């Protein structure tokens, strides 16, 4: 049973995301407080649309190995898209086999898309963030991203 009940068909909750100023410090803090262990940190750069404007976002992120739902810690490294002072993003991630259909469903329900992956030519978008109000965001993630996440979850973070 999910912490959030059962999502509608085609949506499968897999994480709760928290934006942090320092991903390594947060890993230590949440690890000590909650007993989490962590995947390797992924340092990624994405082309995105933010309110219709193209931008580039660089983030460092890790997932708890305990889950689902996993706890995702996100550190903004490019200064703007996921920064606490920008969107102040706190989010719940949902897998979807039909990203475009899920985007349309959320927008029709009054949860506009604010940040969306801007893929290269011939590629499909991987994610879209929707404003649910009251500071809660919903991240719709294409199941095409799942193998990449599963690889990261098999790679435990190495400690110095």
């Amino acid at each position: 049973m999910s912490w959030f009940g059962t999502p509608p068909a085609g949506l499968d909750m897999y994480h709760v995301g928290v934006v942090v100023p320092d991903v390594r410090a947060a890993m230590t803090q949440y690890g000590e407080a909650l007993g989490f262990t962590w995947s390797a940190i992924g340092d990624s750069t994405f082309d995105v649309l933010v309110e219709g404007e193209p931008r580039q976002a660089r983030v460092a992120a890790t997932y708890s190995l305990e889950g689902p739902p996993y706890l995702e810690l996100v550190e903004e490294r490019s200064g703007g898209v996921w920064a606490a002072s920008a969107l102040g993003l706190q989010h719940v991630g949902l897998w979807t086999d039909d990203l475009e259909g899920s985007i349309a469903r959320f927008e029709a329900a009054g949860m506009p898309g604010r940040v969306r992956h801007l893929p290269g030519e011939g590629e499909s978008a991987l994610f879209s963030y929707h404003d649910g109000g009251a500071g809660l965001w919903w991240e719709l993630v294409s199941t095409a991203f799942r193998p990449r996440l599963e690889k990261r979850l098999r790679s435990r973070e190495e400690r110095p």
Side-chain angles (χ1 to χ4, degrees):
M1 178 77 159
S2 169
W3 294 347
F4 291 91
T6 304
L11 295 174
D12 184 19
M13 187 181 133
Y14 78 98
H15 79 271
V16 174
V18 178
V19 175
V20 297
D22 180 326
V23 73
R24 289 190 186 280
M27 290 166 69
T28 299
Q29 180 180 35
Y30 284 99
E32 289 174 1
L34 301 169
F36 287 131
T37 55
W38 304 99
S39 69
I41 296 171
D43 193 342
S44 303
T45 302
F46 294 103
D47 290 322
V48 295
L49 288 174
V50 179
E51 301 288 349
E53 296 295 321
R55 286 205 189 147
Q56 196 168 66
R58 183 169 169 236
V59 298
T62 185
Y63 292 86
S64 65
L65 296 178
E66 296 72 28
Y70 301 98
L71 177 63
E72 179 191 26
L73 302 176
V74 180
E75 175 187 335
E76 167 77 34
R77 292 191 168 169
S78 57
V81 178
W82 278 265
S85 62
L87 297 179
L89 186 65
Q90 306 299 334
H91 65 277
V92 174
L94 301 168
W95 290 122
T96 177
D97 290 327
D98 178 12
L99 183 60
E100 297 303 321
S102 295
I103 288 169
R105 172 190 221 144
F106 272 60
E107 290 182 347
M111 290 187 274
R114 300 289 190 207
V115 178
R116 181 179 176 154
H117 178 227
L118 186 58
E121 190 172 328
E123 297 175 346
S124 297
L126 295 176
F127 58 83
S128 180
Y129 285 88
H130 295 259
D131 186 351
L136 179 63
W137 290 70
W138 295 90
E139 180 187 14
L140 303 172
V141 183
S142 169
T143 52
F145 183 74
R146 188 175 281 189
R148 199 171 181 186
L149 173 64
E150 288 172 351
K151 180 179 178 184
R152 186 179 302 165
L153 291 173
R154 289 189 302 270
S155 175
R156 186 178 296 264
E157 176 65 12
E158 293 181 24
R159 297 290 175 182

